[in-house]
Amino acid sequence: MPDQPAAEPALTPFRLNLLILSIVMFNFASYLTIGLPLAVLPGFVHDGLGYSAFWAGLVISLQYLATLLSRPHAGRYADQWGPKKVVVIGLFGCFISGLCILFSALTESWTVLSLGLLCLGRVILGIGQSFSGTGTSLWGVARVGSLHIGRVISWNGIVTYGAMAIGAPLGVVIFHSGGLLLLSGVIIAICVLAIALALPRAPVKGSKAKPLPFRDVLGKIYGFGLILAMGSAGFGVIATFITLFYKDKGWDGAAFALTLFSAAFVGTRLLFPNAINRLGGLRVASICFAVEAVGLFLVAASFDPWMAKVGAFLTGAGFSLVFPAIGVVAVKVVPQQNQGSALATYTAFMDLSLGITGPIAGFIMSFAGVPLVYFLTALLVCLALVCTLRMSRRQPASPPIEIKEN
């Protein structure tokens, strides 16, 4: 992890949050470039270019695959070069992806070239997001101190999901107003503005210590990553299949269930910003897994729409603090100069979980029905809870950290 200056003295909670937001806003910009074309590109590939649904899905999936594969590299470079430089590189990647969308729109009549440009842009966007997302977390921690790493990760998650929630519907409106050309112009403008705001900021120096090899970092944090992957499956099945669940039941209101899930996720992070410092990461994760499992069991057993909505709400509230709670513990098992690599590798387990949850759950669903998917996922979250409790017993006892709010 980069060399950290001392946290600024006498920061009130409000000023602390503002300082964190002044850094994680760059991740907001990168995720906005992901959200804006998300609901538009599949239709453009399928209806505009005339390709099958497979290719439409592949264009979207390429970004997630590129993010997964580049996460460890982003963490290592953030440790070595400093997080600001990695964030700027990531934003340049998002900028190039906007240019690829622009050129794809201009070459729509040459369908193969247009599709190839889209695919190239999605790969570069995935790499750019992994750099900007990892870099902003480490940049924020370097500014406020490692004591507040849980708060930094929480705010990074809030802006991530906020940007996705805003970006998708906004992208549809922009596309209907001016097509893919206007949409790509908006993406490019966002990236230029973000880069212009990032470049004058004071850099954080990278670490000069020799980093651990990736396999050693992976060996130290894979247990935490596996627990995160199991917990992330709950998020995956709600986000991906709640619409099909409602359709299978013959109900309306799936969109509202997703809204409740998202509101609970963001609301929990806002309401309990200091829970990890006060209670400890593994204790918070245990509580979260218990709440998430109850939510998933409730969805699986639903015989009325209100049960599914309450279940989705509890799942969102439970999953909300899982990532930062376990992440705070995971990054501390490696030397400071490797904490960027540890955080990025840890995050990759969530990327992998979300990538494989859809196909596996879809396979189960085709043979055994939709409710069973939620029941099995709830059992998986219960397994994550058991593993977390066992891990907490092996951790050396230390009193929770009390933060005095000025």
Side-chain angles (χ1 to χ4, degrees):
M1 194 168 184
D3 296 331
Q4 295 184 19
E8 299 185 18
L11 280 178
T12 64
F14 178 73
R15 289 183 61 202
L16 177 64
N17 288 334
L18 283 182
L19 183 56
I20 295 171
L21 284 170
S22 72
I23 302 298
V24 300
M25 69 178 184
F26 300 116
N27 196 35
F28 178 85
S30 71
Y31 261 97
L32 201 55
T33 66
I34 294 172
L36 285 171
L38 192 61
V40 170
L41 291 185
F44 175 75
V45 173
H46 187 269
D47 301 326
L49 300 181
Y51 285 94
S52 67
F54 167 80
W55 287 102
L58 180 64
V59 165
I60 299 300
S61 299
L62 280 174
Q63 181 239 308
Y64 297 109
L65 178 62
T67 298
L68 170 65
L69 295 178
S70 59
R71 285 266 189 214
H73 301 286
R76 185 172 70 251
Y77 293 140
D79 286 332
Q80 295 176 356
W81 301 342
K84 175 193 167 180
K85 183 177 292 187
V86 168
V87 169
V88 172
I89 291 172
L91 291 172
F92 267 110
C94 298
F95 170 78
I96 294 172
S97 76
L99 289 178
C100 287
I101 295 175
L102 173 65
F103 292 134
S104 176
L106 293 173
T107 59
E108 184 177 352
S109 56
W110 293 283
T111 57
V112 175
L113 176 59
S114 181
L115 180 66
L117 286 167
L118 277 184
C119 291
L120 176 63
R122 296 294 294 176
V123 171
I124 295 175
L125 179 62
I127 298 171
Q129 193 285 312
S130 69
F131 274 60
S132 59
T134 302
T136 51
S137 289
L138 299 176
W139 196 356
V141 172
R143 287 299 309 276
V144 302
S146 58
L147 178 65
H148 301 294
I149 186 172
R151 191 184 291 249
V152 173
I153 296 175
S154 291
W155 273 113
N156 221 15
I158 290 171
V159 301
T160 293
Y161 290 100
M164 294 288 284
I166 295 170
L170 181 60
V172 173
V173 172
I174 295 172
F175 181 76
H176 288 320
S177 299
L180 210 58
L181 286 174
L182 179 60
L183 183 63
S184 62
V186 172
I187 292 172
I188 291 169
I190 290 171
C191 295
V192 170
L193 176 61
I195 292 169
L197 291 173
L199 285 175
R201 304 291 290 270
V204 178
K205 294 181 180 180
S207 174
K208 297 179 180 179
K210 183 179 180 181
L212 290 173
F214 169 71
R215 64 180 179 274
D216 292 342
V217 175
L218 179 62
K220 290 180 178 293
I221 62 95
Y222 80 92
F224 302 99
L226 290 175
I227 293 174
L228 173 66
M230 288 186 282
S232 300
F235 165 71
V237 294
I238 291 289
T240 306
F241 295 115
I242 194 66
T243 303
L244 293 180
F245 179 82
Y246 266 69
K247 184 177 180 180
D248 181 69
K249 293 286 189 178
W251 300 337
D252 295 323
F256 184 59
L258 283 172
T259 300
L260 287 173
F261 174 87
S262 301
F265 181 95
V266 174
T268 301
R269 288 198 172 186
L270 291 175
L271 288 172
F272 304 102
N274 209 32
I276 297 169
N277 276 347
R278 293 187 183 277
L279 301 177
L282 294 180
R283 185 180 299 178
V284 170
S286 300
I287 297 171
C288 288
F289 283 136
V291 174
E292 183 182 359
V294 170
L296 290 166
F297 278 126
L298 196 57
V299 173
S302 296
F303 55 81
D304 192 85
W306 71 265
M307 293 180 65
K309 290 181 174 65
V310 173
F313 182 88
L314 290 176
T315 304
F319 180 68
S320 177
L321 292 175
V322 165
F323 181 91
I326 302 175
V328 165
V329 183
V331 298
K332 292 179 180 178
V333 301
V334 299
Q336 183 175 322
Q337 67 269 18
N338 290 100
Q339 288 183 354
S341 296
L343 180 60
T345 306
Y346 167 74
T347 306
F349 279 90
M350 186 171 72
D351 296 330
L352 179 62
S353 175
L354 297 178
I356 66 175
T357 293
I360 294 176
F363 177 78
I364 295 172
M365 189 184 306
S366 63
F367 289 97
V370 185
L372 182 63
V373 167
Y374 288 93
F375 179 76
L376 294 176
T377 306
L379 293 179
L380 188 62
V381 174
C382 287
L383 178 59
L385 171 59
V386 172
C387 293
T388 304
L389 291 173
R390 292 185 61 185
M391 185 177 288
S392 66
R393 295 191 189 102
R394 296 198 300 265
Q395 292 288 318
S398 58
I401 301 172
E402 293 289 343
I403 305 300
K404 294 182 180 179
E405 298 186 352
N406 299 319

